Amino acid sequence: MISREEALVLLEEKIESIPLRRHMLATEVVLRAAARQTNNDEELWGLTGLLHDIDLEQVDHDPKQHAAQAAEWLVGKLPAEALAAIRAHNGEELGIERSSTLDHALAAGETLTGLVVATTLVLPSKKIADLKVKSVRKRMKEPRFAASINREIIRESEKLGMDLADFIALGVEAMRGIGPELGL
Ligand SMILES: [Fe+2]
């Protein structure tokens, strides 16, 4: 498995968009926290999160190619279960069902980062330091708020044996820890 340093070099090489880099860093930190919480391999889960969207600019956001290309690039850099999870996070488009714990963690975690960002950006300060976990839980139940964020995918966190409320709290706290890096 590649090192985190090598993964960061790859990320900077393949992704220009700052918001997309931040999304990948946010996904990493949420996956690391989820791995620690559930006694899984933190480095494996973290790097899977960090690199999951590495092909998005290359495939020009084409949903039919996205994630399949990433998994191909990462052969030999990440183990098979990470490659499977990366493919499966776009499973709806690629015709793959999510099955492993890591599959569900990646899909739920990366989707949660979007809801946390959206909930932070409607705060007067737009700072995650001021974000209450409760606000994210409330927004979770308001389908018209950030409507493109699929709440059902966030609920896949239950497959990790975690309560949704605990998963949301874990995600918020993890992202808060790198707020400045996320521009939040
Ligand atoms: Fe993503």
Side-chain angles (χ1 to χ4, degrees), residues 47-169:
L47 294 183
T48 304
L50 182 63
L51 294 175
H52 78 281
D53 277 340
I54 193 76
D55 65 350
L56 258 183
E57 291 183 355
Q58 176 74 37
V59 304
D60 202 17
H61 296 258
D62 175 1
K64 296 290 173 204
Q65 292 180 64
H66 170 47
Q69 174 71 78
E72 231 172 82
W73 279 352
L74 295 170
V75 170
K77 294 186 165 71
L78 292 181
E81 58 180 311
L83 305 182
I86 288 173
R87 272 188 221 98
H89 98 275
N90 191 28
E92 287 81 355
E93 293 289 340
L94 299 178
I96 301 167
E97 269 193 41
R98 287 187 278 280
S99 54
S100 75
T101 315
L102 179 53
D103 291 354
H104 293 296
L106 177 61
E110 78 128 356
T111 307
L112 177 63
T113 69
L115 187 62
V116 172
V117 171
T119 308
T120 304
L121 293 181
V122 295
L123 296 175
S125 70
K126 299 186 173 21
K127 290 293 171 204
I128 197 167
D130 299 325
L131 179 68
K132 292 189 175 69
V133 171
K134 198 174 67 181
S135 308
V136 181
R137 293 206 330 245
K138 206 174 108 219
R139 295 301 193 184
M140 181 80 189
K141 293 183 237 157
E142 290 172 13
R144 277 176 297 180
F145 176 81
S148 66
I149 296 172
N150 186 335
R151 272 61 167 180
E152 283 312 303
I153 298 180
I154 299 177
R155 282 182 215 285
E156 290 182 37
S157 57
E158 286 163 8
K159 303 275 168 104
L160 313 188
M162 285 186 77
D163 273 1
L164 177 64
D166 293 341
F167 185 66
I168 290 172

